Amino acid sequence: MLDSKALESIPLVPANTADPAPNHPWPKPYTSAMFLSFDVDAESAWTSKDAGHAQRLITMSYGGYEARVGTPKLLELLDQLDLKATFFVTGWSVDAHPAMAESILKAGHEIGHHGYHHLLPDPGDPWIEEELERGFEALKRRLGVKPTGYRAPYGELTEELRVALVHHGIVYTSSFRDDVRPYRHRLADGKPGTIELPVTASYDDWMHGLSARFSPRSIFPKEHVLSMWKDELDEVRDWGAMVTTVLHPQCSGRPMRLRLLREFLTYVKSCPDVWITTGEKIAENFLRHEAGSRSAVP
Ligand SMILES: [Zn+2]
């Protein structure tokens, strides 16, 4: 039923009041960028929907694939292609699979914050701060890492969370779907927020590879996804902008999906104008230009 009271309370302003994304150049010789990133949820992808899944062993095994096969295979692929990426890892995954988390770090990739239990936040949720702190604590205790990047579990943020991220020293977030270049958030009180590295929705592998355990639709074949991914990239290259991947080892680490990713990344590597890099590097480039420096990180 239409809730007219709730509709009346919607503010008549854009939900995101950030200034337009500045046209900061990419480091020479690049004229566009790919933020290569993975979300490591492991079993917390499933327990965050229903804690009771912890006792459902086959449901849990979808997430368990990440530590047993998916992540090692992706690390192997990145090593073969000589690429560095950002892995947003839930604190639960780090605690439950410390060897997997350590292998990501040891391979020289950036580790980002992805919540602890991968919970979907709603305004006023009492656990928001605790979930954030537990995530930081697990990354520090197990890996000695203080992350500068944060990707919201389920790609959702509330204002309380956005403010808390700044207080905790997070430099960049990567969850919004509203741009093709990095921009600086503006908090509700007018203060500056994190740098946003916007996500490219078509590069979320769950959309095409596995959207639910009991998905009502079939997954898409390689040719279908490759065609979308290449078109998205090629147009963004013409725009001088960036794309951001949201890949999951329990999806892109599956044999057929890995084959697709190998072919796609090999194509991206063949484009000399595309800077394939981590969120940390893109945020550094943004900060340098924001500070007025003309130099860009190599
Ligand atoms: Zn996730």
Side-chain angles (χ1 to χ4, degrees):
M1 202 174 133
L2 193 69
D3 184 346
S4 54
K5 222 173 175 180
L7 289 174
E8 282 306 313
S9 71
I10 301 172
L12 294 174
V13 292
N16 186 354
T17 59
D19 288 333
N23 234 348
H24 295 323
W26 303 107
K28 286 191 174 80
Y30 306 109
T31 52
S32 58
M34 166 180 273
F35 172 18
L36 182 57
S37 62
F38 297 85
D39 292 3
V40 183
D41 307 335
E43 291 92 327
S44 61
W46 305 93
T47 49
S48 58
K49 289 181 169 61
D50 177 358
H53 280 334
Q55 310 306 322
R56 298 181 182 109
L57 299 182
I58 307 306
T59 296
M60 292 295 272
S61 77
Y62 278 78
Y65 181 85
E66 290 201 340
R68 300 173 70 89
V69 183
T71 305
K73 283 310 239 182
L74 285 170
L75 291 177
E76 193 181 291
L77 177 67
L78 295 176
D79 183 52
Q80 286 162 357
L81 294 174
D82 192 23
L83 291 172
K84 291 286 182 272
T86 301
F87 286 75
F88 296 98
V89 191
T90 64
W92 186 92
S93 303
V94 174
D95 274 338
H97 304 290
M100 173 188 71
E102 282 160 17
S103 68
I104 297 169
L105 188 66
K106 209 170 150 211
H109 302 290
E110 181 195 357
I111 304 277
H113 196 307
H114 194 42
Y116 189 85
H117 281 298
H118 199 264
L119 302 180
L120 174 69
D122 257 334
D125 275 337
W127 48 259
I128 284 179
E129 186 75 24
E130 186 192 334
E131 164 87 354
L132 197 57
E133 283 174 5
R134 276 192 87 180
F136 276 115
E137 191 276 325
L139 294 180
K140 180 84 194 155
R141 174 170 39 81
R142 295 278 189 186
L143 304 173
V145 164
K146 183 177 187 317
T148 58
Y150 177 88
R151 175 164 292 148
Y154 292 104
E156 194 54 270
L157 278 172
T158 63
E159 186 62 19
E160 301 103 296
L161 184 49
R162 205 160 65 142
V163 170
L165 290 169
V166 175
H167 287 161
H168 281 279
I170 287 290
V171 175
Y172 76 90
T173 45
S174 179
S175 301
F176 277 59
R177 267 77 170 163
D178 54 4
D179 217 308
V180 290
R181 299 189 70 88
Y183 64 84
R184 171 72 71 185
H185 276 283
R186 178 181 291 130
L187 303 178
D189 63 4
K191 291 187 180 139
T194 55
I195 299 164
E196 180 66 25
L197 309 184
V199 158
T200 311
S202 61
Y203 290 117
D204 184 335
D205 57 1
W206 286 83
M207 305 271 288
H208 323 293
L210 177 74
S211 52
R213 189 187 160 192
F214 302 105
S215 177
R217 64 160 169 77
S218 175
I219 60 178
F220 293 105
K222 181 178 79 171
E223 292 71 22
H224 180 121
V225 181
L226 206 52
S227 159
M228 277 192 289
W229 283 3
K230 281 183 172 176
D231 279 350
E232 185 91 42
L233 180 78
D234 287 341
E235 187 66 21
V236 158
R237 290 167 67 202
D238 288 347
W239 294 5
M242 70 179 282
V243 295
T244 300
T245 64
V246 185
L247 304 170
H248 304 79
Q250 55 192 292
C251 181
S252 285
R254 297 274 170 186
M256 170 177 62
R257 298 287 117 176
L258 195 87
R259 185 167 279 243
L260 157 67
L261 187 61
R262 183 188 297 113
E263 197 165 320
F264 177 61
L265 289 179
T266 302
Y267 172 70
V268 186
K269 273 199 75 170
S270 75
C271 305
D273 52 306
V274 183
W275 185 31
I276 311 171
T277 190
T278 63
E280 195 174 25
K281 296 279 182 203
I282 293 177
E284 274 173 28
N285 185 62
F286 184 96
L287 280 171
R288 284 187 191 209
H289 286 285
E290 192 181 48
S293 159
R294 303 313 308 165
S295 64
V297 283

